[in-house]
Amino acid sequence: MYRYDAFDAAFVRQRTEQFRDQVARRLSGELTEEEFKPLRLMNGLYLQLHAYMLRVAIPYGTLDSRQLRKLAHIARTYDKGYGHFTTRQNIQFNWPALVDVPSILEELAEVEMHAIQTSGNCIRNVTADHYAGAVAGEVEDPRIWAEIIRQWSSLHPEFSFLPRKFKIAVTGTTHDRAAVKLHDIGLVLTRDAAGAVGFQVLVGGGQGRTPMVAKTLRDFLPKERLLSYLEAILRTYNLLGRRDNKYKARIKILVHEVGIEEVRRLVEAEWEAIGRETSLDLPEAERARIAAHFAPPDLTPRPAEPPALVEALATHRPFRHWLRSNVKPHRTPGYAVVDVSLKPIGGAPGDMTDAQMEALADLADRHSLGEIRVSHAQNLVLPHVAREDLPALHRGLAAAGLATGNNRLVSDIIACPGLDYCALANARSIPIAQRISERFADLDRQADIGPLEIKISGCINACGHHHVGHIGLLGVDRKGEEAYQITLGGRADENAAIGRIVGPAFDADGAVAAVETIVETYLEERLGPDESFLAAVERLGLAPFKARLYPDKRAA
Amino acid sequence: MALQVLTANRLRDGAVVYLSPDGSWVERVAAARAESAPEAVARLEAAGRAAVVAREVVEPYPIAVEQGEDGRLIPVRYRERIRAEGPSIRLQCDEEAA
Ligand code: SF4
């Protein structure tokens, strides 16, 4: 994985020292809250409902065991013994004291971590496919490019004060696990007819108040030209993006208002001008230096069906569930990619205790070359596990409460912090997720229902990705009471779509019951177990669901 | 005017606090100073502004409270109840300790 060079290390150390000084000046009264607030936000420190919240960047979701142990140490020493993994492949600590944050940042810097670019109107932490470098069919490891973009954007003063925050995601395969169509810029590594590597460039996707699926800006961009082309997009946006209305400031609104053809024309013109000016593109030697950090591990093929695995499969039911849903094929025969569920039945999605972090760090060292990934679905991944190690790994995960075999099933729910933590929330998200997962606790039933992604946000900011949930729940304030609006048919993959609202909102009890009704309706109406929930919704439309959810009204 | 108390977050650690009758900031809403007369609420707010200048708290604002059956003060809005009582969910670390 990528290791800081001396320049990165010095930069992060300098930022940490600056922040220690800023906190001291805030506490001494030299800085007012108005002066201090933008400084703390630049270092990922928010003030939430109950306390400060520190958001730590995990670039493209890649961690090593040493870093995970440090996060455990921070959770234990400075917080309440847990952290929360977010849909942005970050981790949030919910309870740090302001006076401790400089020390936390110092400890993070020891393991090459920081909280830069996790807040504010800058290019945010770049996200990538969480299976990057581990699965077959990848054109290139997308993290190479995510890291190149990170380096380019971190130090780019021109892009520190954009009209609004700006999110970029990269995937190396055509099957999209990084939700690239829901980012300001989505990059899909691809090849042209001659076999040259480049990117399909998508622009203008996003969630929030005005959800939009990104449009294709360019079918093929030679990879060597990535940075100058991104520069052209950002310059165009910086010039034309609205600064008068924060709800209209995202690039998706620009694309919507002036049209993709016009944006393309402007970007291409800017790109040409940049090309004449100077070369902003990365020299090949530098690309190769960064790429070397992501060289695939040297794994020798191993047996696909080792005896220990065959025996565990025959005798151990939870192992069977887990193997079926949480274990995915690896690019090297005899290896597997393992999803580690942070969604125990009745648990808070994405939460992990210090002890669990340490247990997983040990398991990663033992079974996955010390590597861990964070997925945008608020789960973790061990990317390189020999199949013969799977029974032992499963035992280790089970002992730490991390072996729930529910990946992409109905209890694998994405939920934002909601009103239990977030100052912007209308309604709680986590308790709804907990109650839904308790209703569907039986893993046999979950397996029978099949892939079903439920996503919950506590307000229209959509951190819980409700717009793209197969079932989405959005918390709204209905005359001072928490209520939930339900959408169906959203998806975040290469066929991304925004879910459609099924009808009037429900109260909390009603919303949990409604999810069960929706699932029952699907089970009754599906053509067979092979027709997934999403396929059934696409075939049936909303009518049968509406009829069951609102029996008093004639289904529209 | 409905009964009001003044809440804020403590500067040093971010904790949710309430202005108490003796002018200190306390973590229990039940121990807060409640006022209903507009001039008295205005005095609470002035005390809040002074506490910001004195670097004790940030973002003070008045909230509506009511008296529960036992006479204890309870925030009216559920957002403020969650702020007063902490997350409504059991934390995993509590469960492990249990
Ligand atoms: S969706 Fe709203 S409630 Fe949930 S974390 Fe984001 S801002 Fe907070």
Side-chain angles (χ1 to χ4, degrees), chain A residues 48 55 92 415-419 421-427 429 456-466 474-475:
Chain A
Q48 285 290 21
R55 183 179 292 157
Q92 295 181 174
C416 78
L419 191 50
Y421 294 99
C422 177
L424 303 172
N426 288 321
S429 306
I456 311 177
S457 306
C459 81
I460 195 63
N461 287 328
C463 306
H465 294 187
H466 66 279
L474 164 65

Side-chain angles (χ1 to χ4, degrees), chain A residues 85-115:
Chain A
F85 288 96
T86 76
T87 54
R88 297 267 318 135
Q89 298 180 311
N90 292 320
I91 186 168
Q92 295 181 174
F93 291 107
N94 290 311
W95 307 95
L98 175 62
V99 289
D100 288 337
V101 173
S103 303
I104 298 175
L105 295 180
E106 237 167 64
E107 297 228 25
L108 287 170
E110 283 170 18
V111 294
E112 299 166 21
M113 297 184 83
H114 56 75

Side-chain angles (χ1 to χ4, degrees), chain A residues 26-29 33 49-52 80 82 98-99 351 356 419-421 423 426 428 434 480-482, chain B residues 9-16 52 55 57-59 78-79 82-83 86-93 96:
Chain A
R26 174 71 187 104
L27 292 171
S28 74
E33 187 61 17
L49 210 52
H50 307 289
Y52 292 102
K80 293 194 178 182
Y82 68 105
L98 175 62
V99 289
D351 276 12
Q356 287 177 320
L419 191 50
D420 284 298
Y421 294 99
N426 288 321
R428 282 172 282 182
Q434 291 175 316
E481 297 292 330
E482 292 167 289
Chain B
N9 288 82
R10 198 157 51 209
L11 172 65
R12 288 182 70 81
D13 63 0
V16 174
V52 169
R55 308 185 306 278
V57 300
V58 290
E59 300 185 11
Y78 59 82
R79 176 186 196 273
I82 291 173
R83 256 183 104 244
S88 65
I89 44 181
R90 286 220 307 164
L91 304 179
Q92 274 191 39
C93 40
E96 288 198 348

Side-chain angles (χ1 to χ4, degrees), chain A residues 349-423:
Chain A
D351 276 12
M352 193 177 202
T353 66
D354 53 349
Q356 287 177 320
M357 291 180 206
E358 279 168 351
L360 190 68
D362 291 348
L363 290 168
D365 280 340
R366 213 168 305 143
H367 301 296
S368 180
L369 309 173
E371 222 187 281
I372 302 112
R373 306 287 176 76
V374 183
S375 81
H376 79 266
Q378 300 176 292
N379 289 312
L380 301 185
V381 175
L382 296 180
H384 310 291
V385 182
R387 285 178 66 83
E388 64 207 50
D389 285 1
L390 289 171
L393 173 61
H394 181 261
R395 280 193 299 278
L397 291 172
L402 294 168
T404 316
N406 62 350
N407 191 247
R408 301 197 58 232
L409 299 179
V410 57
S411 64
D412 186 5
I413 300 170
I414 291 181
C416 78
L419 191 50
D420 284 298
Y421 294 99
C422 177

